[in-house]
Amino acid sequence: MKLVYKKPAFKWEQTLPIGNGSLGAMIWGGTSEELIGLNYDRLWSGYRHDKNNIEAKKYLEPARRLIEQGRYTEAESLIRDHMLGEYGENYLPLGRLKIKSSSKGHIADYRRELDISRSLARISYRCNGHMYEREFFASFPAKAIIICYKCDVNEMSLDLEFESELKYSLDIRDDLISIYGQCPEHSDPDYVNSKEPVIHGTRGMKFDAGIRILECDGACKSADYGISINKASRVVIAFDASKEPDSFGLEHEYDNSHSETNNEHGNGICYDESKKIHQNDICYYEPKKEHRYKISYDDLKREHIDDYKSIFDKVELYLGEQSDIPTDERLKLLREGTEDPALLALYFQYCRYLLISSSREGSMPANLQGIWSWELRSPWSSNFTSNINFEMNYWPSESCNLQECLKPYFDLLKKVSIEGHKTAEINYGCRGFVAHHNLDYWCNTNPMGIAHGDSKGGGLCVMWSFWPMGGAWLTSELYRYYEYNEDIDFLQKTAYPILKEGCLFLLDWIYEYKGQYVSCPSTSPENRFVTKDGEASVCMNSAMDMTLIREVFHNFQKTCKALDIDDEILPQIRERLSRLAPVKVGKNGQILEWNEEFVETDKGHRHLSSIYGLFPSEEFESDPRLKEAALRTLKIRMDNGSGQTGWSCAWIMNLLAIAGDGDKAYQYALKLLCNATHDNLWGDHPPFQIDANFGAAAAIANMLVQDRNGEVKLLPALPKAWKKGYVKGLRIKHNLWVDIEWEDGKIINKKIYRP
């Protein structure tokens, strides 16, 4: 279970990623200079303020009337000009740690590896006859990134230097670089052209971080640039970070637990409450010399591995012996047609590694890049995109035995349900909560499309920004968690109140039109259609809207039944369901994406929203007509080139697995690895997006085990290429685990058990 390379990374999509949920690092593996990209999940641009458009509500009814009259382009223009709010904020890289080494000269036996079975990265090589080694890990128990440099002689010299695009200052001691910084108060997405895309200002969140020498058998002293180390054979370095507390309540649950002075800083340093210093007009507590790393490097490493393996080791997948060929070369051979089923097993476990590394209790949930971001204006703001990508990140959490990683998702959902109350009332005059296409650290739930300083949305933004079903989709994981874990306390205290608020919004959002309850204005995420007046994206009753509304209502009904609650809104839900506009089937046997049989502008669109009911939902399972139409829709999409992005390819893999077509699902798995995967096995949109990894892991699990609509299927979509293998520890509902061994397509051993 190792990713192996014979040369350093030369771009950040080749780096080795490590993380503990909150802290992340990207390791380049240079010889004369190591470059480590540092991330802290709490660092976002922006500050706490309301971005809702107080004028939006008065345009809702006019937009509905235009749509009812078939004036779709006019309705879209009205929404773009009057019903949107400002864009959300960007997830930010903390900075870069440069470590220059004395190992200059002839390099031999270079090896760069990521051991995903122990969550350890390692660099080794020989230089001028001496052996140099480096180890890296991101410890969840220690809340720190730990680095160990070793040389077989006391001849190693290192220079440590920190740099960042953020506003920062340094306090350098002999064994400590204290970093004090502030994030921009606003940053437009990378796809928005504006005169001042990044505004540093004074209202951005403040943070501090520490780079500390824990062990050194040589000379260690401060320098103008950082820390200088000479004549050493072993050096251990720790990095951690924290941010100032805010009233929003999204800080780490563990920030206080490791500080002897019970303050909000958690960067491995204790703070003296009586002494304060000012750096760039930012007030911080002065660090004392004591720190919390009380145990040795070996003990820190052992503690980290034990914690990580308690999650990772629950699942095994064997599809053949792993090759000792470097990972990038294996990918190259795969693209040239060489069969390598074992590479998919490595990829599957790597995807599990990535979720463990980017989503742990107390952290933010995994964003578009997981936790690893290199750019100040990262792709699509590296936010939580809730019209597919954020949800897809958590598709493998139950089936792949990663339920521990779900808590950050639920923590954010609670905040979204609170913030979404304001948007539901201000934008639409509805009860309950709503969320749209994008979310950020601040949980802004308004439909986003206006650049900072502008008053109207731009271009075609309505087709993705105006989608008031984001909150509905986010709730889908609530009842699913109960199905898998049978946690009645979670169902009562977390799922029930959030689902009820989601139902309240939908009850008020839909309205009666020609004898049916409809959703209007309605979009199908990021897709457009042709009308007599030109292209448009807003209409009535997109298939995804109607499927999500049914699913939320059904999940709430099942929740109330499990809790034996006769909730006062249940009669309203039953009445709405009885007359809810149906999902329609078109003349070609396909699911109609909208309420009319429009011509799509892109028949091979990357989104497969209209067949959400086939997967990840189970809504179509009990309706053979809709299930058949969904499969027909999938074929049309694939025939026209859908699956060109990594996450879209992963979604198709899942749909094909649900359809029972293992060989076709395997073809798309190969397409994903060959066309939409970087050398370090990160998924590609392009550029890097981590949802492809997580979606593909869920798909591989669905090829092996499914538990849907009350039916468990073993090896439902096993491809011929997987002639012999086994899987252990996949999960099905009712907290059951599954082990299967097969040969030539037949099960030779199986076990369904409760651990």
Side-chain angles (χ1 to χ4, degrees):
M1 291 287 100
K2 292 180 180 179
L3 281 64
V4 178
Y5 306 88
K6 293 297 185 181
K7 55 183 180 293
F10 66 86
K11 59 180 181 178
W12 75 287
E13 294 91 347
Q14 295 176 337
T15 58
L16 299 181
I18 61 172
N20 65 4
S22 179
L23 298 173
M26 297 164 287
I27 302 157
W28 291 68
T31 52
S32 61
E33 179 179 281
E34 176 63 271
L35 185 61
I36 304 167
L38 298 172
N39 293 111
Y40 175 43
D41 68 339
R42 291 303 201 272
L43 294 193
W44 290 72
S45 62
Y47 58 96
R48 182 118 167 87
H49 66 291
D50 195 340
K51 292 187 176 183
N52 288 300
N53 181 352
I54 60 173
E55 298 294 317
K57 183 163 49 177
K58 67 183 181 183
Y59 293 97
L60 177 59
E61 292 306 318
R64 285 174 168 171
R65 301 297 86 80
L66 288 171
I67 291 168
E68 291 167 3
Q69 296 165 26
R71 298 158 64 184
Y72 304 110
T73 57
E74 291 179 62
E76 182 166 346
S77 295
L78 184 146
I79 292 169
R80 183 191 63 226
D81 293 346
H82 300 290
M83 297 186 70
L84 305 181
E86 190 177 295
Y87 283 110
E89 298 296 338
N90 279 259
Y91 174 56
L92 305 168
L94 190 149
R96 295 168 292 276
L97 173 60
K98 290 183 177 180
I99 305 177
K100 296 180 180 180
S101 171
S102 59
S103 57
K104 297 176 181 178
H106 177 68
I107 303 297
D109 301 328
Y110 181 92
R111 182 181 175 92
R112 180 169 61 101
E113 69 177 35
L114 179 64
D115 182 348
I116 60 173
S117 67
R118 299 191 299 159
S119 187
L120 290 173
R122 188 170 180 268
I123 315 293
S124 62
Y125 56 89
R126 292 190 178 276
C127 180
N128 299 327
H130 294 300
M131 191 69 189
Y132 289 83
E133 296 177 88
R134 279 172 246 157
E135 262 186 345
F136 308 78
F137 59 89
S139 170
F140 179 74
K143 312 304 176 196
I145 289 170
I146 308 296
I147 306 166
C148 181
Y149 269 72
K150 291 187 287 186
C151 181
D152 57 10
V153 291
N154 288 75
E155 293 293 332
M156 185 169 56
S157 297
L158 302 174
D159 291 326
L160 279 64
E161 181 179 354
F162 174 83
E163 62 183 22
S164 176
E165 293 180 85
L166 303 179
K167 181 181 177 182
Y168 74 98
S169 61
L170 303 177
D171 178 17
I172 302 172
R173 316 266 175 117
D174 287 346
D175 63 350
L176 173 66
I177 302 175
S178 294
I179 304 157
Y180 309 110
Q182 187 166 31
C183 299
E185 65 178 42
H186 176 73
S187 178
D188 275 333
D190 68 319
Y191 49 83
V192 172
N193 292 320
S194 54
K195 294 180 180 179
E196 193 176 7
V198 179
I199 301 173
H200 284 279
T202 60
R203 292 175 289 188
M205 64 170 65
K206 301 167 187 175
F207 67 92
D208 63 297
I211 298 168
R212 178 181 286 277
I213 307 301
L214 300 186
E215 298 178 23
C216 177
D217 61 0
C220 180
K221 64 179 182 178
S222 62
D224 292 341
Y225 54 82
I227 295 174
S228 175
I229 295 169
N230 290 290
K231 299 293 183 179
S233 66
R234 176 183 169 98
V235 178
V236 178
I237 306 163
F239 165 80
D240 48 19
S242 67
K243 63 173 286 295
E244 66 168 359
D246 59 44
S247 60
F248 198 41
L250 279 174
E251 287 74 36
H252 289 297
E253 295 179 5
Y254 51 72
D255 268 356
N256 291 338
S257 62
H258 294 285
S259 175
E260 294 175 9
T261 54
N262 194 31
N263 61 70
E264 291 292 339
H265 300 271
N267 71 334
I269 309 161
C270 295
Y271 288 81
D272 188 337
E273 296 289 335
S274 64
K275 298 179 181 178
K276 296 182 179 180
I277 57 177
H278 292 264
Q279 299 283 345
N280 290 352
D281 298 322
I282 307 169
C283 177
Y284 290 94
Y285 295 107
E286 182 179 4
K288 296 194 296 184
K289 279 299 182 181
E290 298 87 2
H291 57 87
R292 61 173 162 82
Y293 302 110
K294 305 294 186 184
I295 58 179
S296 68
Y297 172 78
D298 291 338
D299 288 338
L300 284 167
K301 178 178 171 182
R302 187 180 306 109
E303 181 185 58
H304 157 70
I305 292 172
D306 289 346
D307 168 77
Y308 171 78
K309 289 174 76 68
S310 68
I311 302 175
F312 182 84
D313 283 358
K314 291 185 294 183
V315 175
E316 296 179 43
L317 176 61
Y318 176 84
L319 298 175
E321 292 299 315
Q322 291 295 336
S323 168
D324 57 1
I325 298 173
T327 307
D328 52 345
E329 294 180 27
R330 291 176 73 178
L331 275 175
K332 183 176 183 293
L333 290 170
L334 194 72
R335 292 173 183 131
E336 293 170 353
T338 302
E339 289 194 12
D340 190 355
L343 181 58
L344 264 177
L346 177 67
Y347 177 83
F348 170 80
Q349 292 286 43
Y350 175 69
C351 297
R352 293 182 68 245
Y353 162 86
L354 290 175
L355 190 55
I356 298 170
S357 302
S358 58
S359 187
R360 292 292 300 269
E361 183 173 359
S363 78
M364 295 291 289
N367 60 47
L368 275 175
Q369 276 74 38
I371 194 176
W372 301 279
S373 178
W374 188 250
E375 300 170 83
L376 190 62
R377 297 174 74 202
S378 54
W380 302 283
S381 301
S382 196
N383 62 20
F384 309 106
T385 306
S386 50
N387 69 0
I388 172 62
N389 316 95
F390 184 30
E391 292 88 350
M392 184 180 281
N393 281 0
Y394 288 88
W395 284 0
S397 55
E398 297 291 4
S399 60
C400 298
N401 224 327
L402 297 168
Q403 62 272 27
E404 297 91 342
C405 299
L406 268 166
K407 194 172 188 308
Y409 177 97
F410 294 135
D411 288 344
L412 189 72
L413 179 53
K414 289 177 185 176
K415 296 295 179 186
V416 170
S417 68
I418 294 169
E419 293 299 302
H421 267 269
K422 291 184 290 187
T423 303
E425 168 56 32
I426 291 171
N427 279 50
Y428 310 120
C430 294
R431 298 171 296 169
F433 87 97
V434 66
H436 293 79
H437 154 266
N438 271 339
L439 297 167
D440 57 16
Y441 171 87
W442 309 101
C443 293
N444 293 303
T445 53
N446 59 284
M448 301 174 184
I450 300 178
H452 183 73
D454 290 346
S455 59
K456 297 179 180 180
L460 304 177
C461 67
V462 173
M463 73 175 178
W464 48 261
S465 65
F466 194 86
W467 191 64
M469 293 293 139
W473 193 347
L474 289 172
T475 67
S476 65
E477 205 64 57
L478 293 166
Y479 190 74
R480 185 178 294 117
Y481 183 86
Y482 173 71
E483 288 183 298
Y484 273 84
N485 299 280
E486 297 187 328
D487 185 341
I488 199 73
D489 189 62
F490 172 87
L491 193 68
Q492 183 174 35
K493 295 179 180 178
T494 301
Y496 168 73
I498 296 176
L499 274 170
K500 182 170 182 176
E501 294 301 318
C503 286
L504 286 170
F505 172 76
L506 295 175
L507 286 170
D508 289 357
W509 170 256
I510 59 177
Y511 66 96
E512 193 171 358
Y513 177 71
K514 294 185 177 180
Q516 294 180 331
Y517 284 102
V518 300
S519 174
C520 180
S522 176
T523 59
S524 191
E526 304 187 33
N527 206 354
R528 295 177 67 76
F529 55 87
V530 179
T531 76
K532 57 183 175 56
D533 300 318
E535 294 183 5
S537 60
V538 295
C539 66
M540 182 184 294
N541 297 345
S542 73
M544 191 172 198
D545 275 21
M546 307 322 292
T547 308
L548 279 167
I549 292 167
R550 279 188 173 82
E551 182 179 57
V552 174
F553 285 165
H554 287 156
N555 283 344
F556 186 69
Q557 288 177 324
K558 290 183 284 189
T559 297
C560 289
K561 183 178 180 180
L563 295 173
D564 194 23
I565 294 174
D566 185 18
D567 195 278
E568 70 273 9
I569 68 171
L570 287 173
Q572 299 173 57
I573 289 175
R574 287 191 290 269
E575 192 269 337
R576 300 295 198 279
L577 282 169
S578 70
R579 292 196 287 134
L580 195 62
V583 175
K584 298 179 181 179
V585 177
K587 63 184 179 182
N588 294 318
Q590 85 282 17
I591 297 287
L592 282 190
E593 190 134 3
W594 300 275
N595 60 307
E596 296 182 32
E597 193 142 0
F598 296 115
V599 174
E600 293 179 78
T601 58
D602 180 5
K603 292 183 179 180
H605 199 267
R606 61 193 178 278
H607 282 261
L608 298 127
S609 308
S610 66
I611 53 176
Y612 170 83
L614 183 61
F615 183 87
S617 176
E618 299 177 25
E619 285 291 312
F620 290 178
E621 284 290 334
S622 57
D623 190 327
R625 179 171 171 267
L626 290 181
K627 189 171 183 179
E628 182 180 348
L631 294 173
R632 173 63 181 158
T633 304
L634 176 60
K635 184 178 187 307
I636 293 171
R637 276 282 202 270
M638 292 191 301
D639 288 348
N640 286 278
S642 186
Q644 66 270 35
T645 68
W647 60 263
S648 180
C649 191
W651 196 350
I652 289 176
M653 284 174 62
N654 279 282
L655 291 162
L656 290 168
I658 299 305
D661 193 339
D663 289 332
K664 196 72 173 178
Y666 181 64
Q667 288 179 25
Y668 270 81
L670 295 179
K671 180 180 179 180
L672 176 64
L673 284 175
C674 293
N675 300 340
T677 298
H678 292 286
D679 284 350
N680 67 354
L681 300 188
W682 271 346
D684 193 32
H685 178 86
F688 161 50
Q689 252 184 232
I690 206 165
D691 39 27
N693 294 97
F694 299 141
I700 292 169
N702 273 320
M703 293 165 75
L704 299 170
V705 180
Q706 293 174 24
D707 187 351
R708 295 167 57 82
N709 200 35
E711 182 182 5
V712 175
K713 297 178 182 179
L714 305 183
L715 304 186
L718 186 73
K720 294 185 181 67
W722 296 353
K723 297 175 183 178
K724 181 179 180 180
Y726 64 81
V727 66
K728 296 180 181 180
L730 292 181
R731 293 176 79 234
I732 57 177
K733 295 174 184 177
H734 308 293
N735 198 24
L736 296 171
W737 294 22
V738 178
D739 297 350
I740 313 168
E741 185 179 2
W742 69 87
E743 193 167 344
D744 295 326
K746 296 180 180 179
I747 296 174
I748 58 176
N749 281 303
K750 65 179 180 180
K751 182 181 179 184
I752 298 177
Y753 57 100
R754 193 179 299 272

